[in-house]
């Protein structure tokens, strides 16, 4: 990850953004498949004449999917991502094998982001945090807001359903359903989708 800020002058909000373990777990997913833009649509323009909303989707290891709803418009917007759009590049064989015919649990990846008080404590050097051997009951991978990937990789942490890496479950999306979110101006909503039952989704053969 490249940090585009002066780390010596980083404020609490910036540290909270850069250290969000659930987002980092997407970036460091062992499958290594990039997300792609499914669609983009016009939105109210800002003072620079720019305005667009877009849906991004990407496959993750273990059969999970990452979904990003990006609002580059000038106003808060209700955005919708249907399972048909999210899995547009996945198997469309129909029946129970189709990902659109499954139920998916949606996890908000911003939900467990650390608050300003915790971030300020870290920046001021007043934060306390256990750092013990892996597997201990005091292992620092157990925090809901921070994750130490030197003790356990992001991929292995996701397999254990670590709260810091999954975010918070907000809803279950039924077959052929839609994920809806209110996305603020110049903001992004990000989710991890986990299929109920845990089976992987097949992709169509590439030419």
């Amino acid at each position: 990850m490249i940090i585009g800020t002066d780390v010596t002058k980083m404020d609490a909000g910036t540290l909270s953004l850069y250290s969000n373990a659930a987002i980092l777990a997407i970036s460091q997913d062992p499958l290594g498949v990039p997300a792609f833009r499914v669609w983009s649509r016009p939105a109210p323009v800002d003072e620079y004449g720019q305005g667009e909303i877009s849906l991004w989707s990407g496959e993750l290891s273990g059969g999970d999917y990452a979904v990003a709803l990006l609002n580059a418009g000038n106003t808060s917007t209700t955005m919708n991502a249907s399972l048909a759009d999210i899995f547009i590049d996945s198997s469309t064989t129909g029946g129970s094998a189709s990902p659109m015919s499954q139920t998916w649990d949606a996890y908000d990846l911003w939900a467990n982001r650390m608050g300003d008080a915790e971030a300020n404590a870290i920046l001021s050097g007043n934060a306390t945090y256990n750092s013990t051997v892996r597997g201990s009951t005091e292992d620092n991978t157990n925090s809901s807001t921070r994750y130490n990937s030197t003790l356990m990789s992001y991929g292995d942490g996701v397999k254990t359903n670590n709260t810091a890496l999954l975010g918070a479950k907000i809803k279950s999306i039924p077959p052929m359903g839609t994920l809806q979110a209110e996305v603020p101006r110049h903001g992004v909503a990000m989710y991890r989708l986990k299929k109920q039952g845990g089976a992987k989704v097949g992709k169509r053969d590439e030419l």
Side-chain angles (χ1 to χ4, degrees), residues 8-203:
T8 65
K9 299 178 181 178
M10 188 181 297
D11 60 20
T14 303
L15 176 62
S16 176
L17 284 171
Y18 279 128
S19 60
N20 186 339
I23 300 295
L24 290 172
I26 299 294
S27 171
Q28 300 300 308
D29 187 81
L31 189 62
V33 175
F36 64 94
R37 187 171 65 178
V38 178
W39 51 252
S40 63
R41 297 165 185 165
V45 299
D46 58 20
E47 61 270 31
Y48 305 105
Q50 304 298 314
E52 179 184 83
I53 60 173
S54 57
L55 165 64
W56 296 73
S57 176
E59 186 179 7
L60 302 171
S61 59
D64 294 355
Y65 266 74
V67 176
L69 293 168
L70 178 64
N71 179 11
N74 199 38
T75 60
S76 178
T77 302
T78 300
M79 296 183 62
N80 296 287
S82 68
L83 291 185
D85 283 342
I86 293 169
F87 300 115
I88 194 170
D89 197 38
S90 299
S91 174
T92 54
T93 57
S96 61
S98 170
M100 287 80 77
S101 301
Q102 307 296 320
T103 298
W104 294 81
D105 293 331
Y107 292 80
D108 182 356
L109 300 184
W110 294 117
N112 291 335
R113 170 181 157 190
M114 75 169 67
D116 285 351
E118 183 179 4
N120 275 318
I122 293 173
L123 291 171
S124 64
N126 295 322
T128 58
Y129 201 38
N130 293 321
S131 181
T132 58
V133 297
R134 184 184 305 177
S136 165
T137 57
E138 296 183 346
D139 189 335
N140 60 358
T141 58
N142 286 337
S143 169
S144 64
T145 59
R146 285 182 271 169
Y147 185 81
N148 188 340
S149 61
T150 63
L151 293 179
M152 181 181 292
S153 71
Y154 287 105
D156 287 341
V158 169
K159 291 177 183 178
T160 67
N161 294 322
N162 185 283
T163 303
L165 302 184
L166 293 185
K169 180 181 173 181
I170 58 165
K171 67 175 298 184
S172 294
I173 308 171
M176 301 305 298
T178 297
L179 175 64
Q180 184 178 88
E182 185 72 17
V183 186
R185 171 186 183 270
H186 291 178
V188 59
M190 290 194 66
Y191 303 93
R192 177 186 288 268
L193 300 190
K194 296 184 74 67
K195 187 169 120 175
Q196 289 189 1
K200 291 188 67 176
V201 175
K203 295 189 70 177

